[in-house]
Amino acid sequence: MSLLTTVMDHSLDDGYAEAARARGAEGRSRLPATAKGRLVLALGLALAATVVTVGAVNTQEAAPVLAKERDALVSRVNDANKAADALQRQVEQDRDRVEDAQAQALQSGDDGGLARLAAQAGTGEITGPGVKLVIEEASGSGGGGNVSDPRNAEGFGNKGRVQDHDLQYAVNGLWLAGAEAVSVNGQRLTALSAIRAAGDAILVDNRPLVPPYTLLAIGDGPRLAQAFQDNEGGHYLKVIQDSYGIRSTVSAQKSLTLPAALGVTLRVAGTESPTPSPAPSSAPHSSSQPPSSPTAKPKSPSSSGPSRPTGSTVKSTPSGTGAATP
């Protein structure tokens, strides 16, 4: 009990108690006590105040310069944007003039079928009955169900989003059903068109598209819609709708107008004019006779009419590469 009493009465060690008494006697002030120490402290404080003051003055003086530089940069950016907008408007005006000139040339050409050929090839506007196919992305994650996974091998990340392969299957299904012309979100497809992916975006002829995706096809509306639903394209859209919730609707339309493709020029093949025959040889024995074996000459123009434009009316079998073939 005596040990417990001692511990209770003297909880602090004697050495700690002595140090506490000494610190209390000296005071808690950390200021130097000598004149030299106080002088050094004053010089340090003055130096710190000078540095802070000089920094504040420099900052205040540099503020107008930075503001001027910022205003100049903003003005340059605005001028560049205005110049880009003006160039874009000029490009659109030039494109309209080129299209008008092409339309006039097609209408005034020797062959009255050139305008119809341009519409079929995609370089001219076309109007007629057809179908409207709208493909919308899933609002949430689609249910797997018991259907097979047609996109498993492609490494798709987000199953509920429409991919470039989906549009390729849909477009090729429309061609297979007998469509005469197809457009995707206002972009007309030609034999040179490509549907590709760049990151999360889908590009048609290097132009990005945003969902929902609207596909317009010219043809016999009811027959075209039924043929599409019965072929591989319609079956594929049904599978991804059941698997991932990607919705698609097909409806027949009485009248559709598809614009002309941009950046594509219609070129028509024609017969070559015959070249003049070579001059006779200068030998004496052949001066009055033509050469015995003249060079081959191109065939003369056929009297049955202008030649058939190369590849203008041939339809290729749709493939899964995404290249639209009118």
mmCIF file of all heavy atoms in Angstrom, residues 280-304:
data_model
loop_
_atom_site.group_PDB
_atom_site.id
_atom_site.type_symbol
_atom_site.label_atom_id
_atom_site.label_comp_id
_atom_site.label_asym_id
_atom_site.label_seq_id
_atom_site.Cartn_x
_atom_site.Cartn_y
_atom_site.Cartn_z
ATOM 1 N N PRO A 280 1.842 7.501 -145.213
ATOM 2 C CA PRO A 280 2.464 6.387 -145.948
ATOM 3 C C PRO A 280 3.967 6.483 -145.931
ATOM 4 O O PRO A 280 4.551 7.548 -145.722
ATOM 5 C CB PRO A 280 1.897 6.545 -147.363
ATOM 6 C CG PRO A 280 1.511 7.976 -147.469
ATOM 7 C CD PRO A 280 1.053 8.370 -146.090
ATOM 8 N N SER A 281 4.603 5.341 -146.158
ATOM 9 C CA SER A 281 6.064 5.265 -146.133
ATOM 10 C C SER A 281 6.644 6.061 -147.293
ATOM 11 O O SER A 281 6.043 6.215 -148.357
ATOM 12 C CB SER A 281 6.505 3.803 -146.210
ATOM 13 O OG SER A 281 7.904 3.730 -146.318
ATOM 14 N N SER A 282 7.866 6.542 -147.123
ATOM 15 C CA SER A 282 8.539 7.331 -148.156
ATOM 16 C C SER A 282 9.246 6.492 -149.188
ATOM 17 O O SER A 282 9.905 7.024 -150.080
ATOM 18 C CB SER A 282 9.538 8.286 -147.489
ATOM 19 O OG SER A 282 10.494 7.524 -146.761
ATOM 20 N N ALA A 283 9.148 5.155 -149.110
ATOM 21 C CA ALA A 283 9.818 4.297 -150.094
ATOM 22 C C ALA A 283 9.182 4.488 -151.456
ATOM 23 O O ALA A 283 7.972 4.679 -151.575
ATOM 24 C CB ALA A 283 9.721 2.837 -149.669
ATOM 25 N N PRO A 284 9.967 4.392 -152.580
ATOM 26 C CA PRO A 284 9.412 4.629 -153.929
ATOM 27 C C PRO A 284 8.347 3.627 -154.317
ATOM 28 O O PRO A 284 7.349 3.990 -154.912
ATOM 29 C CB PRO A 284 10.646 4.536 -154.834
ATOM 30 C CG PRO A 284 11.814 4.796 -153.958
ATOM 31 C CD PRO A 284 11.440 4.282 -152.610
ATOM 32 N N HIS A 285 8.537 2.357 -153.957
ATOM 33 C CA HIS A 285 7.594 1.353 -154.416
ATOM 34 C C HIS A 285 6.260 1.449 -153.711
ATOM 35 O O HIS A 285 5.299 0.824 -154.130
ATOM 36 C CB HIS A 285 8.183 -0.056 -154.231
ATOM 37 C CG HIS A 285 8.353 -0.424 -152.783
ATOM 38 N ND1 HIS A 285 9.475 -0.042 -152.058
ATOM 39 C CD2 HIS A 285 7.538 -1.094 -151.943
ATOM 40 C CE1 HIS A 285 9.367 -0.503 -150.820
ATOM 41 N NE2 HIS A 285 8.195 -1.135 -150.722
ATOM 42 N N SER A 286 6.170 2.204 -152.600
ATOM 43 C CA SER A 286 4.909 2.299 -151.845
ATOM 44 C C SER A 286 4.361 3.709 -151.821
ATOM 45 O O SER A 286 3.529 4.028 -150.986
ATOM 46 C CB SER A 286 5.113 1.803 -150.406
ATOM 47 O OG SER A 286 6.106 2.596 -149.781
ATOM 48 N N SER A 287 4.842 4.561 -152.727
ATOM 49 C CA SER A 287 4.389 5.948 -152.690
ATOM 50 C C SER A 287 2.938 6.086 -153.090
ATOM 51 O O SER A 287 2.249 6.991 -152.661
ATOM 52 C CB SER A 287 5.264 6.803 -153.624
ATOM 53 O OG SER A 287 5.200 6.286 -154.939
ATOM 54 N N SER A 288 2.428 5.190 -153.927
ATOM 55 C CA SER A 288 1.041 5.298 -154.370
ATOM 56 C C SER A 288 0.133 4.280 -153.727
ATOM 57 O O SER A 288 -1.037 4.208 -154.059
ATOM 58 C CB SER A 288 0.967 5.117 -155.902
ATOM 59 O OG SER A 288 1.480 3.837 -156.258
ATOM 60 N N GLN A 289 0.668 3.467 -152.812
ATOM 61 C CA GLN A 289 -0.127 2.447 -152.157
ATOM 62 C C GLN A 289 -0.093 2.677 -150.649
ATOM 63 O O GLN A 289 0.940 3.064 -150.094
ATOM 64 C CB GLN A 289 0.427 1.035 -152.476
ATOM 65 C CG GLN A 289 0.408 0.673 -153.945
ATOM 66 C CD GLN A 289 -1.011 0.522 -154.450
ATOM 67 O OE1 GLN A 289 -1.913 0.204 -153.674
ATOM 68 N NE2 GLN A 289 -1.210 0.744 -155.751
ATOM 69 N N PRO A 290 -1.206 2.428 -149.957
ATOM 70 C CA PRO A 290 -1.199 2.556 -148.491
ATOM 71 C C PRO A 290 -0.406 1.426 -147.874
ATOM 72 O O PRO A 290 -0.158 0.404 -148.514
ATOM 73 C CB PRO A 290 -2.687 2.471 -148.130
ATOM 74 C CG PRO A 290 -3.288 1.688 -149.243
ATOM 75 C CD PRO A 290 -2.511 2.057 -150.470
ATOM 76 N N PRO A 291 0.012 1.541 -146.678
ATOM 77 C CA PRO A 291 0.753 0.478 -146.021
ATOM 78 C C PRO A 291 -0.060 -0.791 -146.030
ATOM 79 O O PRO A 291 -1.277 -0.792 -145.893
ATOM 80 C CB PRO A 291 0.977 1.033 -144.610
ATOM 81 C CG PRO A 291 0.838 2.497 -144.731
ATOM 82 C CD PRO A 291 -0.151 2.727 -145.838
ATOM 83 N N SER A 292 0.670 -1.900 -146.192
ATOM 84 C CA SER A 292 -0.007 -3.204 -146.259
ATOM 85 C C SER A 292 -0.598 -3.612 -144.923
ATOM 86 O O SER A 292 -1.553 -4.375 -144.873
ATOM 87 C CB SER A 292 0.984 -4.277 -146.740
ATOM 88 O OG SER A 292 2.110 -4.333 -145.864
ATOM 89 N N SER A 293 -0.025 -3.151 -143.829
ATOM 90 C CA SER A 293 -0.539 -3.537 -142.496
ATOM 91 C C SER A 293 -0.682 -2.285 -141.650
ATOM 92 O O SER A 293 0.204 -1.929 -140.892
ATOM 93 C CB SER A 293 0.413 -4.527 -141.816
ATOM 94 O OG SER A 293 1.702 -3.947 -141.711
ATOM 95 N N PRO A 294 -1.770 -1.571 -141.815
ATOM 96 C CA PRO A 294 -1.943 -0.329 -141.038
ATOM 97 C C PRO A 294 -2.091 -0.640 -139.562
ATOM 98 O O PRO A 294 -2.490 -1.731 -139.180
ATOM 99 C CB PRO A 294 -3.216 0.274 -141.627
ATOM 100 C CG PRO A 294 -3.958 -0.897 -142.179
ATOM 101 C CD PRO A 294 -2.898 -1.839 -142.685
ATOM 102 N N THR A 295 -1.804 0.362 -138.768
ATOM 103 C CA THR A 295 -1.938 0.182 -137.316
ATOM 104 C C THR A 295 -3.403 0.067 -136.954
ATOM 105 O O THR A 295 -4.284 0.531 -137.661
ATOM 106 C CB THR A 295 -1.337 1.397 -136.587
ATOM 107 O OG1 THR A 295 -1.994 2.573 -137.029
ATOM 108 C CG2 THR A 295 0.158 1.506 -136.873
ATOM 109 N N ALA A 296 -3.645 -0.594 -135.761
ATOM 110 C CA ALA A 296 -5.033 -0.817 -135.316
ATOM 111 C C ALA A 296 -5.668 0.511 -134.970
ATOM 112 O O ALA A 296 -5.053 1.385 -134.367
ATOM 113 C CB ALA A 296 -5.038 -1.737 -134.110
ATOM 114 N N LYS A 297 -6.911 0.645 -135.369
ATOM 115 C CA LYS A 297 -7.672 1.862 -135.099
ATOM 116 C C LYS A 297 -8.777 1.554 -134.107
ATOM 117 O O LYS A 297 -9.297 0.444 -134.073
ATOM 118 C CB LYS A 297 -8.296 2.413 -136.384
ATOM 119 C CG LYS A 297 -7.269 2.788 -137.454
ATOM 120 C CD LYS A 297 -7.972 3.316 -138.674
ATOM 121 C CE LYS A 297 -6.975 3.676 -139.768
ATOM 122 N NZ LYS A 297 -7.675 4.175 -140.961
ATOM 123 N N PRO A 298 -9.159 2.525 -133.239
ATOM 124 C CA PRO A 298 -10.297 2.297 -132.345
ATOM 125 C C PRO A 298 -11.570 2.141 -133.134
ATOM 126 O O PRO A 298 -11.722 2.661 -134.229
ATOM 127 C CB PRO A 298 -10.328 3.569 -131.475
ATOM 128 C CG PRO A 298 -9.609 4.597 -132.285
ATOM 129 C CD PRO A 298 -8.567 3.865 -133.078
ATOM 130 N N LYS A 299 -12.464 1.431 -132.559
ATOM 131 C CA LYS A 299 -13.738 1.186 -133.220
ATOM 132 C C LYS A 299 -14.501 2.482 -133.397
ATOM 133 O O LYS A 299 -14.476 3.370 -132.554
ATOM 134 C CB LYS A 299 -14.575 0.191 -132.393
ATOM 135 C CG LYS A 299 -13.932 -1.194 -132.313
ATOM 136 C CD LYS A 299 -14.811 -2.135 -131.529
ATOM 137 C CE LYS A 299 -14.198 -3.529 -131.446
ATOM 138 N NZ LYS A 299 -15.065 -4.463 -130.679
ATOM 139 N N SER A 300 -15.194 2.560 -134.511
ATOM 140 C CA SER A 300 -15.981 3.757 -134.786
ATOM 141 C C SER A 300 -17.190 3.781 -133.885
ATOM 142 O O SER A 300 -17.651 2.746 -133.398
ATOM 143 C CB SER A 300 -16.424 3.747 -136.253
ATOM 144 O OG SER A 300 -17.187 2.578 -136.513
ATOM 145 N N PRO A 301 -17.745 4.937 -133.621
ATOM 146 C CA PRO A 301 -18.917 5.023 -132.746
ATOM 147 C C PRO A 301 -20.057 4.178 -133.283
ATOM 148 O O PRO A 301 -20.349 4.147 -134.470
ATOM 149 C CB PRO A 301 -19.255 6.529 -132.752
ATOM 150 C CG PRO A 301 -17.984 7.196 -133.166
ATOM 151 C CD PRO A 301 -17.297 6.245 -134.087
ATOM 152 N N SER A 302 -20.706 3.523 -132.340
ATOM 153 C CA SER A 302 -21.827 2.658 -132.721
ATOM 154 C C SER A 302 -23.028 3.504 -133.102
ATOM 155 O O SER A 302 -23.284 4.555 -132.522
ATOM 156 C CB SER A 302 -22.184 1.729 -131.551
ATOM 157 O OG SER A 302 -23.340 0.999 -131.847
ATOM 158 N N SER A 303 -23.762 3.042 -134.078
ATOM 159 C CA SER A 303 -24.938 3.782 -134.534
ATOM 160 C C SER A 303 -26.152 3.533 -133.671
ATOM 161 O O SER A 303 -27.196 4.124 -133.884
ATOM 162 C CB SER A 303 -25.263 3.373 -135.978
ATOM 163 O OG SER A 303 -25.523 1.967 -136.048
ATOM 164 N N SER A 304 -26.009 2.616 -132.685
ATOM 165 C CA SER A 304 -27.170 2.289 -131.846
ATOM 166 C C SER A 304 -27.360 3.258 -130.701
ATOM 167 O O SER A 304 -28.276 3.097 -129.922
ATOM 168 C CB SER A 304 -27.018 0.869 -131.279
ATOM 169 O OG SER A 304 -25.832 0.778 -130.507
#
